[in-house]
Amino acid sequence: MERAFVYGMSVEGENFTDRGKETKRLKMDMENGINVILVSPRRIGKSSLVRKVAKEMNNPKIKIVYMDIYDCRDEYSFYNRFATEILKQTATKAEQVIENIKRFLVRLTPKIAFSPEPLSEYSLSLGITPQNYQPEEILQLPEIIGQAQGVHIVVCIDEFQQIGEMTDTLSIQKRLRGVWQHQRNVSYVLFGSKKHLMTRLFQNRRMPFFQFGEMMFLDKIPTDDWVPFILSRFESQGKQISEKLAKKICETVEGNSSYVQQLAWNVMTETDKVTTEEDFLRAVDSLLAQCSALFEEQLKGLTSYQLNFLRALSDGVTSDFGSKSILEAYRLGSKSNISRIKSSLQDKEIVDFTKDAVYLEDPVFKIWLRRNSRK
């Protein structure tokens, strides 16, 4: 079934918008064995970009392995996910996976389960523990398979910031970097949804992954590229929207890719034949209602100082929080309190900041805060 707009998941095909320059660069990096660290704010389209490029790769000498480690909370859960996906995605059938385990991980007794549906995915449980394999042996697995198959393997790891949140993370990072930097048949594309944690892992000179690969910063898709996409999707559904309102969709959510598609879909559902301003306003209300429970959850447990700081941001204050007028107007406490507030809210992924300004990461959260702070 064709979907006019897609959000909340990676997009592909006609729903993938622009990114021509980034697609070309990432494809060249993959083809030439360059390690890439992909950094951007949340919901900008990192996963979609990587999947798009992976799908377009048609060189039989290059194999792409994609894995998401969001639910990996400790070192060996990562090694099990890493080895499982390497084995499954470098083989063409389950029988070959078993053969590769016997060949490359001889000390394991894996469990494999098949679904009764003939086209369904099978599950594989390796049971890697410190008692049967050392980390370095598992981390070397793609290099060994690449050499055996005569291919170059590109390992794409989504939510890589999870590595930075594991117990004894520095030791884990050193082990990963120590093995991966010497591999000749493998390269890595590392990316994640927590921008500040990814930046901390790869741009801090004291961290093991400093200068591990090319840093690629993914910017928001320009409004001028979104507008024709929105117009065409409305037309495909027998509806019309003006360039002005299509532009307004983008500007309202500050070009956030997922929100552009979600708000555009809301507008389309409100539209009969031709979109009106009233349709747009109802769509924004729907978007806020759809996100309200999530935003309310984010506010739970925040201190009064933190809540007041968010109110200041929603009012458009981005700097000079230590000035007497702002401290008093928003009841932020002492000047020394500001850095603690900013750091805490950044760790909660609510705000981020540049050298000169602080901003809310979620543009719809900003609108929601502004409306609710006035109640």
Side-chain angles (χ1 to χ4, degrees), residues 20-243:
K21 179 180 177 182
E22 295 92 338
T23 298
K24 181 179 179 181
R25 180 64 188 225
L26 183 56
K27 187 175 182 180
M28 288 182 63
D29 287 341
M30 286 185 175
E31 290 173 338
N32 289 277
I34 306 296
N35 295 327
V36 178
I37 296 91
L38 194 56
V39 177
S40 79
R42 299 180 67 183
R43 300 185 177 187
I44 293 298
K46 296 180 293 296
S47 300
S48 297
L49 174 64
V50 174
R51 288 182 180 278
K52 178 179 187 290
V53 174
K55 193 172 183 179
E56 291 181 357
M57 298 288 284
N58 52 15
N59 186 336
K61 289 294 184 179
I62 298 177
K63 289 190 175 182
I64 311 295
V65 174
Y66 185 104
M67 67 186 75
D68 187 328
I69 64 168
Y70 178 76
D71 58 343
C72 294
R73 295 293 184 261
D74 57 65
E75 185 175 7
Y76 268 82
S77 65
F78 167 70
Y79 296 144
N80 275 279
R81 177 68 50 77
F82 183 80
T84 297
E85 297 305 325
I86 295 293
L87 288 165
K88 290 174 69 174
Q89 296 183 48
T90 56
T92 56
K93 53 185 178 180
E95 290 78 5
Q96 187 179 351
V97 172
I98 298 301
E99 288 302 315
N100 285 343
I101 293 173
K102 292 178 180 179
R103 182 178 179 186
F104 303 123
L105 296 173
V106 295
R107 298 194 294 278
L108 294 181
T109 305
K111 297 178 181 179
I112 187 165
F114 294 91
S115 168
E117 299 295 328
L119 298 179
S120 295
E121 181 76 4
Y122 60 89
S123 64
L124 177 65
S125 177
L126 295 176
I128 299 170
T129 69
Q131 286 69 45
N132 53 37
Y133 273 97
Q134 293 299 305
E136 290 77 9
E137 297 177 275
I138 301 303
L139 295 172
Q140 191 67 358
L141 182 61
E143 175 74 1
I144 296 171
I145 292 178
Q147 289 177 355
Q149 296 182 357
V151 298
H152 182 88
I153 298 174
V154 182
V155 180
C156 305
I157 306 180
D158 199 351
E159 303 295 357
F160 188 78
Q161 78 279 339
Q162 289 301 120
I163 297 295
E165 299 189 289
M166 293 178 182
T167 302
D168 197 18
T169 179
L170 279 178
S171 296
I172 298 172
Q173 291 177 52
K174 288 176 182 178
R175 280 194 280 275
L176 268 58
R177 174 72 188 256
V179 175
W180 290 353
Q181 68 182 348
H182 298 298
Q183 293 176 343
R184 295 293 174 263
N185 292 274
V186 189
S187 58
Y188 295 84
V189 178
L190 309 176
F191 53 109
S193 61
K194 299 181 181 180
K195 179 185 173 184
H196 73 285
L197 292 180
M198 289 292 291
T199 301
R200 189 182 302 168
L201 284 174
F202 294 99
Q203 291 192 288
N204 188 328
R205 292 178 177 272
R206 292 173 292 183
M207 299 298 280
F209 273 99
F210 179 68
Q211 292 189 333
F212 178 69
E214 175 188 332
M215 296 290 295
M216 182 182 292
F217 294 90
L218 202 59
D219 293 325
K220 296 174 182 177
I221 297 173
T223 297
D224 288 345
D225 292 325
W226 272 119
V227 169
F229 170 78
I230 294 171
L231 294 178
S232 67
R233 303 310 287 162
F234 269 71
E235 185 179 353
S236 72
Q237 301 297 311
K239 301 186 179 186
Q240 292 183 356
I241 184 171
S242 67
E243 289 189 13

